[in-house]
Amino acid sequence: MRPRFPRRRGLGAVAACVVALSVGQTLTALPATAAPTPAPTPVSAVDAAQDRAARAVAGSLADTVWRARVRTAALNSPEVAITSLAARARGTLKSTLTEADRRIADAKGLGSKAGSLLRLRLGDDSMRAALASGTVPWVAAATTDDGPTVTAYDSRGRAHAIDARRPPSHPVYVVDIDASRALAAGLDVLNEELARHGVASADRTSRRTLGEAAAAGFWTTRITSVRLSNDEEPWIKGDAEIYTLVTGFGLDGKVRVDPVDMPYLDNDGTVYRPNQILVNWSNYKYNLADAVMMEEDGSTNYRELAKAIATVLLTIADQGAYVPLVNAVLDAIPDDWWTDDPDYVDSWYTLARADNGTRNGARGNGWMTVEPYFVSAF
């Protein structure tokens, strides 16, 4: 589940917020001639592609043999690579899903790095009995919109508005993207693009630094435990995919950004004990760095994210003393990225090498317990 908070405008509010880069139950079919009444919001390319895929999968379930094949796969696995499964389907389903996959990868700036991203899963465990008994499921897309209802499609092409907060009794397949795969590929792209725009990152520069430091070892800050606060999250969205942007001044006096993947941090309200290295101090000039925790949002374009961050950070020069970079990163993110599904989780200012204990996030949405950790050479 994803903690989300609206962006605050203005430097004072941003400083308070912190930094940088998720009605009863309704099962009524929407009339074919009626459109939903909520005010229209921009639809991202990722959402549009997922919705098209959901419609296509729903229509394909009219085929009883195919429907049974998908049911077996969904009951036996937490998620199904639907594009691969569709290779055995009739009609144009495979080509439709392949095209949706391509559009999603392009919209996220991933190209062919991530491979197939589309996945299908059962919306909630409470639906297993009805699905196993033969009830024909509906299909919905896990979009980034946080409205009160979700649109699901049946095999006849009809749309159904269902409660976004409470899982319906009718089984629903959710078409989503593999966020873990997308994030892994996205962080690679982020590193490459940051370096291309002149911002040092976890690329060959940092590896060279590690090689030079290996003879004597180096100090790090290690996360021993971490927890995010509780937050209501629509049932249709799966586990969060969290990463942290560690920012500071490199040994050359220029700003650097080191993305750190946190694949274990799936749910809020849970204490995780990863013993994960967050900051490698051999990469930094000063004894202070900032950390901005983010979530992989389905609509994130990693190439654009790197460009936006680089554009702002490259204007900040080393003044001979540490300068916090959290606000700069936060302000670098385009306004429209915060409209419906903000992916900012929390941030930590002025982490120091000697920090040992619990540090609360500036936004108040989480805490981390950290300790100094020396990585020795062999």
Side-chain angles (χ1 to χ4, degrees):
M1 291 179 287
R2 323 188 234 198
R4 13 175 162 293
F5 300 92
R7 188 184 192 188
R8 306 285 181 86
R9 301 303 299 162
L11 290 179
V14 168
C17 237
V18 221
V19 27
L21 314 176
S22 174
V23 197
Q25 178 175 301
T26 303
L27 301 177
T28 307
L30 295 174
T33 57
T37 55
T41 56
V43 177
S44 74
V46 172
D47 286 352
Q50 286 184 192
D51 186 75
R52 184 180 180 189
R55 289 173 181 265
V57 172
S60 74
L61 297 180
D63 182 327
T64 56
V65 175
W66 166 247
R67 183 168 71 238
R69 187 177 299 152
V70 177
R71 179 174 63 242
T72 298
L75 288 173
N76 291 332
S77 177
E79 61 178 22
V80 180
I82 189 63
T83 308
S84 299
L85 187 64
R88 302 171 61 188
R90 300 174 183 175
T92 62
L93 180 62
K94 180 182 178 181
S95 60
T96 299
L97 295 179
T98 300
E99 175 63 14
D101 238 337
R102 185 191 64 78
R103 289 179 180 273
I104 290 170
D106 288 347
K108 294 179 71 59
L110 301 178
S112 60
K113 280 184 174 292
S116 178
L117 290 173
L118 278 174
R119 296 292 185 270
L120 179 142
R121 55 182 167 80
L122 187 61
D124 191 79
D125 281 343
S126 63
M127 304 171 182
R128 294 182 66 85
L131 180 64
S133 70
T135 302
V136 181
W138 298 336
V139 185
T143 65
T144 56
D145 182 24
D146 286 335
T149 62
V150 174
T151 300
Y153 305 101
D154 64 25
S155 59
R156 299 182 187 180
R158 297 176 301 184
H160 302 260
I162 53 180
D163 194 328
R165 295 288 172 182
R166 183 184 304 173
S169 57
H170 193 102
V172 178
Y173 289 148
V174 177
V175 171
D176 203 350
I177 66 172
D178 186 334
S180 180
R181 180 188 290 260
L183 178 56
L187 293 185
D188 285 344
V189 170
L190 190 62
N191 282 326
E192 293 170 3
E193 290 297 303
L194 284 170
R196 190 169 73 85
H197 288 286
V199 175
S201 185
D203 59 358
R204 58 182 177 275
T205 302
S206 62
R207 288 196 291 272
R208 182 172 65 250
T209 302
L210 282 172
E212 294 169 351
F218 53 93
W219 281 101
T220 69
T221 289
R222 182 168 70 171
I223 303 171
T224 57
S225 59
V226 58
R227 182 186 186 276
L228 301 180
S229 300
N230 289 320
D231 181 54
E232 292 296 325
E233 177 73 340
W235 59 270
I236 198 168
K237 296 181 179 177
D239 292 339
E241 292 293 337
I242 302 294
Y243 62 102
T244 295
L245 300 175
V246 178
T247 64
F249 288 88
L251 299 178
D252 59 0
K254 298 179 181 179
V255 292
R256 67 175 294 122
V257 178
D258 291 306
V260 178
D261 192 0
M262 307 177 85
Y264 53 86
L265 197 51
D266 291 333
N267 299 296
D268 52 26
T270 301
V271 176
Y272 295 91
R273 304 182 188 280
N275 288 324
Q276 181 185 29
I277 290 176
L278 179 66
V279 186
N280 172 8
W281 292 105
S282 68
N283 285 332
Y284 293 88
K285 177 179 179 179
Y286 299 110
N287 182 32
L288 292 174
D290 295 334
V292 180
M293 187 177 287
M294 306 291 289
E295 182 208 357
E296 159 26 59
D297 170 20
S299 60
T300 301
N301 184 310
Y302 289 94
R303 293 189 189 279
E304 293 300 320
L305 179 59
K307 181 179 178 181
I309 292 175
T311 298
V312 171
L313 292 188
L314 287 175
T315 66
I316 302 174
D318 181 10
Q319 301 295 321
Y322 170 77
V323 177
L325 299 175
V326 164
N327 295 352
V329 176
L330 192 62
D331 280 349
I333 301 174
D335 287 345
D336 58 348
W337 288 26
W338 302 86
T339 303
D340 297 312
D341 191 25
D343 51 3
Y344 162 58
V345 178
D346 212 327
S347 52
W348 285 260
Y349 287 84
T350 60
L351 288 170
R353 195 182 80 175
D355 282 353
N356 192 347
T358 299
R359 290 285 307 269
N360 293 314
R363 182 60 182 83
N365 182 48
W367 54 259
M368 293 191 295
T369 300
V370 298
E371 66 178 10
Y373 183 73
F374 187 75
V375 178
S376 302
F378 285 114

